[in-house]
C-alpha cells in the first residue's frame, strides 16, 4: 500500500529511498518562508491600522488583520498535502447571502475565524522559527559535514578545513571519515525531518481542522446512508408488492375461480358443501392478501400518486374522513411513501383510540415543501411516543429533512402535521 502520510512512510523500509524525506523538507522550508511572510504581513497591517485608526482609514486594515487567519489557514491546508494526503476539512459554512457585507458578518461571527487567527499568530511568532531550526539542524549541518573533503580541497587548499567551524581537519583520511559520518547523520536527519514534519502537520490539523470538522463530515455521511437505507427499503417493499400481486394473488384468483366452477358443476350434497366452504375460504384468503399487498406498498400510490392514495385510504377508514389535498403533480417517491404511511398510521390511530366521529386530511405543496394535516374531533390525549407507531415514521420523515408534530390536548381535537421539503418530479396540466 502507498503510505498516506509521513508517519506511515517512516514505518516502511524504503523511507530513505522514497520522496517522503524531500516532501518533509519542502513542507518545513515552505513553512519557514510562509511564517516569516505572515509575521511581516500581520505586523505591518496591525501597525498601519493602529496608526491610521484615528482617521478611520485604519479600521479596514484592522478588520483585515482580524481576517488574516483565513488565507493563512487556506495555505496551510494545501501545504498539509505534502506530508498528509488525507484532505483537511474546510470552513464550516458559507454566507447565506451574496455581497461583501454578508461575507464579513459571517466570517466575524463564526468561531473558526478567530481560531484561524490564533493559529496565524502562533505560526508567525513561534512555529516558523521551529521549522527553520529543524531544517538547519537535520539537513544543513549534516550536509556541511558531508562536504568536508570538498571544503578542504577548495577553501582549505588541500591542507586543512574546519568542520562546522569547530573542529580542524588536516588530513584527507580524516576528511573522508568525517564525510562518511556526515552521511550517517544525514540519514538520521531524514528521519528527524519526518518526525518534525509529521508533528508539525498534526498540530496544524488540530488547530485549523479540528475534530468537529470530521464529525460534521461523518454526520453528513450518516444522514446520506440513512437516506440510502430508506430508498432501499422502499424499493424492497415495491418488489415484494409486485411479487405478491403478480404471483401469489394471481394464483389465489385462479384457485377461487376453479373452486367456483367446481362448486357449480358439483351435485347438491356433501361435496358441494365442502366446495362452497373451500371457495369461501379462498375468497377470504384473497381479501387478506390484497390487504397485505396494500399495506406493503399500495399500487394506487405508485400509479396515481399521493392524492389518490390518501383518498383510497380515507375510503377504507372505519371513521368518515374528509380529504382536501391540492397537489398538481407527482412528488419524489420517497416523499410520497413517507407521507402516505404517516396518514395511514394517523387514520388507524383515529379509528382505534380517539373515539372520533369524523376526521379530516388536508394539505398541499407550496414554497418547495409538502404540508399535510390530519385532524380528528376525538377525545385527544394522544402521544407520539406512546406506542402510536408514529415514532418510526417521524424518523423516516426526518431522514428526508422534514418534521412531524403532534398536538393532542385532553378533550381534543388532535392535529398531526407533517412537513417535508421536496420539489415536483412531474406536473399535471
Amino acid at each position: 500500500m502507498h503510505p498516506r502520510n509521513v508517519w506511515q512512510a517512516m514505518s516502511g523500509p524504503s523511507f530513505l529511498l522514497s520522496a517522503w524525506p524531500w516532501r518533509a523538507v519542502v513542507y518545513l522550508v515552505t513553512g519557514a518562508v510562509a511564517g516569516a511572510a505572515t509575521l511581516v504581513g500581520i505586523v505591518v497591517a496591525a501597525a498601519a491600522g493602529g496608526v491610521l485608526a484615528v482617521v478611520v482609514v485604519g479600521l479596514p486594515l484592522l478588520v483585515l488583520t482580524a481576517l488574516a487567519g483565513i488565507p493563512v489557514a487556506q495555505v496551510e491546508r494545501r501545504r498539509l498535502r505534502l506530508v498528509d494526503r488525507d484532505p483537511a476539512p474546510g470552513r464550516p459554512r458559507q454566507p447565506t447571502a451574496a455581497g461583501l457585507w454578508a461575507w464579513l458578518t459571517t466570517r466575524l461571527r463564526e468561531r473558526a475565524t478567530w481560531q484561524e487567527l490564533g493559529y496565524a499568530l502562533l505560526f508567525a511568532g513561534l512555529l516558523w522559527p521551529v521549522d527553520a531550526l529543524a531544517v538547519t539542524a537535520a539537513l544543513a549541518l549534516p550536509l556541511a559535514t558531508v562536504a568536508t573533503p570538498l571544503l578542504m580541497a577548495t577553501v582549505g587548499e588541500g591542507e586543512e578545513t574546519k568542520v562546522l567551524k569547530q573542529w580542524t581537519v588536516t588530513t584527507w583520511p580524516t576528511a573522508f571519515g568525517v564525510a562518511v559520518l556526515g552521511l550517517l547523520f544525514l540519514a538520521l536527519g531524514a528521519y528527524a525531518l519526518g518526525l518534525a514534519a509529521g508533528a508539525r502537520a498534526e498540530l496544524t490539523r488540530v488547530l485549523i481542522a479540528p475534530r468537529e470538522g470530521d464529525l460534521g463530515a461523518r454526520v453528513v455521511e450518516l444522514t446520506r446512508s440513512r437516506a440510502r437505507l430508506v430508498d432501499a427499503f422502499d424499493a424492497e417493499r415495491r418488489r415484494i408488492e409486485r411479487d405478491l400481486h403478480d404471483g401469489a394473488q394471481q394464483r389465489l384468483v385462479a384457485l377461487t375461480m376453479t373452486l367456483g366452477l367446481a362448486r357449480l358443476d358439483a351435485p347438491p350434497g356433501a361435496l358441494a358443501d365442502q366446495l362452497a366452504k373451500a371457495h369461501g375460504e379462498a375468497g377470504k384468503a384473497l381479501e387478506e392478501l390484497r390487504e397485505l399487498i396494500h399495506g406493503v406498498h399500495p399500487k394506487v400510490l405508485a400509479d396515481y400518486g399521493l392524492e389518490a392514495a390518501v383518498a383510497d385510504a380515507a375510503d377504507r377508514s372505519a371513521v368518515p374522513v374528509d380529504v382536501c389535498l391540492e397537489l398538481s403533480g407527482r412528488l419524489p417517491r420517497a416523499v410520497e411513501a413517507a407521507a402516505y404511511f404517516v396518514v395511514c398510521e394517523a387514520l388507524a390511530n383515529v379509528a382505534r383510540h380517539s373515539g372520533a366521529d369524523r376526521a379530516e386530511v388536508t394539505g398541499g405543496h407550496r414554497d418547495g415543501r409538502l404540508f399535510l394535516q390530519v385532524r380528528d374531533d376525538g377525545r385527544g390525549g394522544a402521544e407520539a411516543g406512546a406506542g402510536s407507531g408514529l415514532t418510526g415514521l417521524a424518523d423516516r420523515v426526518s431522514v428526508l429533512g422534514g418534521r412531524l408534530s403532534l398536538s393532542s390536548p385532553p378533550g381534543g381535537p388532535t392535529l398531526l402535521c407533517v412537513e417535508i421539503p421536496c420539489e415536483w418530479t412531474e406536473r399535471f396540466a
Side-chain angles (χ1 to χ4, degrees):
M1 292 180 61
H2 296 289
R4 299 292 303 172
N5 53 53
V6 69
W7 299 111
Q8 295 179 5
M10 284 192 297
S11 64
S14 59
F15 172 70
L16 293 176
L17 300 178
S18 67
W20 285 100
W22 299 106
R23 294 169 72 100
V25 170
V26 173
Y27 179 71
L28 294 173
V29 170
T30 56
V33 175
T38 301
L39 175 62
V40 172
I42 290 178
V43 169
V44 171
V51 172
L52 299 176
V54 293
V55 292
V56 185
V57 179
L59 295 180
L61 290 176
L62 294 178
V63 172
L64 290 178
T65 304
L67 299 175
I70 296 177
V72 172
Q74 290 177 344
V75 172
E76 288 297 281
R77 291 187 182 96
R78 292 181 178 274
R79 286 202 319 114
L80 273 177
R81 299 175 185 174
L82 289 169
V83 291
D84 191 345
R85 290 174 175 170
D86 292 330
R91 297 191 61 80
R93 63 191 179 100
Q94 297 297 324
T96 57
L100 178 60
W101 180 250
W103 186 87
L104 282 175
T105 53
T106 300
R107 292 295 173 250
L108 292 176
R109 288 175 181 174
E110 62 187 5
R111 177 183 176 184
T113 298
W114 304 105
Q115 187 173 349
E116 291 170 351
L117 176 62
Y119 172 80
L121 295 176
L122 180 65
F123 184 33
L126 178 63
L127 295 182
W128 76 267
V130 174
D131 293 344
L133 180 61
V135 173
T136 301
L139 184 62
L141 297 183
L143 284 177
T145 305
V146 171
T148 299
L150 179 62
L151 295 175
M152 187 172 176
T154 56
V155 179
E157 297 180 353
E159 296 181 359
E160 67 174 22
T161 187
K162 285 191 175 183
V163 180
L164 303 178
K165 297 184 179 181
Q166 296 294 324
W167 302 281
T168 302
V169 175
T170 58
T171 63
W172 286 106
T174 304
F176 283 106
V178 171
V180 172
L181 185 62
L183 290 175
L184 177 62
F185 287 155
L186 191 61
L188 296 176
Y191 280 94
L193 288 171
L195 290 173
R200 176 74 168 77
E202 288 295 330
L203 177 62
T204 300
R205 185 177 287 274
V206 168
L207 293 179
I208 66 172
R211 293 179 180 178
E212 288 79 5
D214 295 335
L215 180 60
R218 292 178 183 177
V219 169
V220 171
E221 179 56 30
L222 178 61
T223 302
R224 291 175 178 173
S225 66
R226 289 178 63 192
R228 289 193 295 269
L229 286 175
V230 170
D231 290 340
F233 179 67
D234 284 338
E236 186 65 15
R237 290 174 70 109
R238 289 192 297 271
R239 186 192 65 78
I240 294 173
E241 183 270 334
R242 288 194 303 269
D243 291 344
L244 291 176
H245 183 274
D246 299 335
Q249 179 176 261
Q250 299 304 319
R251 290 183 178 276
L252 274 177
V253 169
L255 175 62
T256 303
M257 294 177 63
T258 302
L259 289 173
L261 293 174
R263 177 184 174 187
L264 293 175
D265 294 338
L271 178 59
D273 293 339
Q274 291 296 326
L275 288 174
K277 183 177 180 180
H279 184 259
E281 291 296 328
K284 292 179 181 178
L286 182 58
E287 291 178 2
E288 292 179 359
L289 181 60
R290 283 172 176 167
E291 288 296 324
L292 175 62
I293 293 173
H294 202 279
V296 171
H297 193 86
K299 190 171 180 60
V300 64
L301 178 63
D303 292 344
Y304 301 103
L306 180 61
E307 187 173 359
V310 170
D312 179 66
D315 291 338
R316 293 183 291 104
S317 175
V319 177
V321 181
D322 298 323
V323 179
C324 182
L325 290 181
E326 298 179 357
L327 299 175
S328 58
R330 296 296 301 271
L331 299 170
R333 290 185 300 183
V335 173
E336 288 187 338
Y340 170 78
F341 286 113
V342 168
V343 171
C344 288
E345 184 65 31
L347 293 180
N349 290 336
V350 170
R352 294 191 195 113
H353 311 296
S354 70
D357 296 323
R358 201 162 195 86
E360 180 185 25
V361 180
T362 61
H365 183 276
R366 61 180 182 275
D367 299 329
R369 307 181 82 83
L370 171 67
F371 296 89
L372 287 177
Q373 291 185 345
V374 182
R375 183 191 303 268
D376 69 71
D377 57 3
R379 66 176 67 95
E383 296 181 6
S388 64
L390 292 175
T391 303
L393 294 174
D395 293 339
R396 184 171 179 174
V397 169
S398 68
V399 170
L400 300 172
R403 59 184 178 181
L404 183 149
S405 60
L406 178 67
S407 173
S408 184
T414 297
L415 177 63
L416 176 71
C417 298
V418 180
E419 179 182 339
I420 306 176
C422 58
E423 298 295 338
W424 299 110
T425 59
E426 178 183 354
R427 296 301 296 266
F428 299 149

